[in-house]
Amino acid sequence: MFPALVLAAAFSSQHCWDIFDGALRHNALGAHPAYISYDERISVTGDDFPILYSLAHVDYRDDGTARVLDERFNYLPIYTNHAEPGPPELGPYGKARSAWLPLEGVRELPVITSVHVPGNVTCTVAGVEDYKGHRSYHLVFGNSARNKPAIKAIWVDTASQDVWKLIVSGYIMFIDSNEAPPLADFEVELGYAGPYLVVNHVVWQLRRREYSQYANYFGEYTLTGFTFPNTLPSDYFGSGTQR
């Protein structure tokens, strides 16, 4: 009985990584627009009181550069490779896509075996769920480093391999703080805008100790109005305030 349970667990873990790798490969092989333009609503509260509310328009280029017109900065152009809260599409990005694409000039060969080297991170299929009308594998990742950004969970369509949602940890930057930035879990949701799968909603929550008390923060980003220009002026990303 015991060896059979160990064997079943091994196959379950392998199946989980196969689903994850398949989703990344599917995304790398999919069509990626050269430019993505969208509107963004940004809201942050602390203990249910408004801290920040702003509207922005973002033009994103496939190499990771973004041109941001934000209400907070009088809509003056800001150019950055750290779009808030992140790129409007999932990776792998840019040149990193090539690692997931078939080798040019090599004929399709049969796969004898598939080997995964995940290190200490575990991958478990928590179940098959209905996520907003899509039958999806719910993958959960464990044993990740607690002090570094990491992927926590992902929902992958059982038929199309599209990713509909994921939970990742990332840093929250506090201005005028000498402490290391804390990690918060970001829930990232995706949906189709025309032919492209894009990020359309992100939320995060953080409980942070401040002096003798704790404060509860909540952030939300809503992305709408997606368009995909074929071209933009050559100087569109070339001058202005940098950060």
Side-chain angles (χ1 to χ4, degrees):
M1 177 67 71
F2 180 72
L5 289 176
V6 173
L7 186 61
F11 277 121
S12 176
S13 177
Q14 178 76 10
H15 180 52
C16 184
W17 287 114
D18 286 340
I19 296 170
F20 178 74
D21 286 359
L24 287 183
R25 189 174 301 109
H26 168 72
N27 200 58
L29 288 167
H32 286 252
Y35 303 97
I36 305 177
S37 297
Y38 57 95
D39 298 318
E40 183 177 50
R41 180 173 61 84
I42 305 163
S43 173
V44 179
T45 61
D47 292 329
D48 296 326
F49 288 95
I51 294 177
L52 168 65
Y53 181 87
S54 190
L55 301 175
H57 178 80
V58 183
D59 296 294
Y60 175 82
R61 193 169 63 188
D62 192 38
D63 65 356
T65 303
R67 180 180 190 267
V68 183
L69 306 176
D70 194 306
E71 184 179 33
R72 289 172 288 179
F73 311 112
N74 296 318
Y75 294 106
L76 294 174
I78 295 174
Y79 303 88
T80 177
N81 58 359
H82 298 285
E84 182 184 356
E89 60 176 351
L90 291 185
Y93 307 106
K95 295 180 180 179
R97 292 176 58 201
S98 61
W100 296 91
L101 302 178
L103 295 175
E104 295 184 5
V106 178
R107 293 183 179 179
E108 192 70 26
L109 299 175
V111 177
I112 298 175
T113 186
S114 177
V115 179
H116 298 275
V117 186
N120 294 325
V121 178
T122 61
C123 181
T124 304
V125 181
V128 177
E129 303 173 2
D130 186 87
Y131 182 77
K132 293 187 177 180
H134 305 284
R135 295 295 289 170
S136 304
Y137 294 111
H138 177 190
L139 310 185
V140 176
F141 302 88
N143 205 33
S144 301
R146 294 185 177 183
N147 60 342
K148 296 180 180 179
I151 183 170
K152 301 290 190 69
I154 185 172
W155 284 256
V156 180
D157 195 293
T158 59
S160 67
Q161 295 186 306
D162 287 334
V163 175
W164 298 118
K165 179 181 178 180
L166 65 158
I167 299 176
V168 295
S169 60
Y171 294 116
I172 301 293
M173 309 300 293
F174 284 85
I175 299 175
D176 299 329
S177 174
N178 295 324
E179 300 177 357
L183 283 170
D185 285 348
F186 289 73
E187 295 190 15
V188 182
E189 295 182 288
L190 298 99
Y192 272 94
Y196 301 111
L197 188 63
V198 294
V199 175
N200 56 31
H201 190 233
V202 179
V203 298
W204 58 266
Q205 297 184 63
L206 175 67
R207 181 173 172 82
R208 182 172 184 252
R209 185 176 180 85
E210 296 182 353
Y211 303 104
S212 61
Q213 300 178 342
Y214 284 89
N216 297 298
Y217 294 93
F218 177 79
E220 182 177 29
Y221 306 83
T222 305
L223 285 60
T224 58
F226 286 94
T227 60
F228 308 96
N230 292 323
T231 60
L232 287 173
S234 58
D235 60 348
Y236 207 66
F237 298 86
S239 62
T241 305
Q242 301 284 332
R243 70 179 178 93

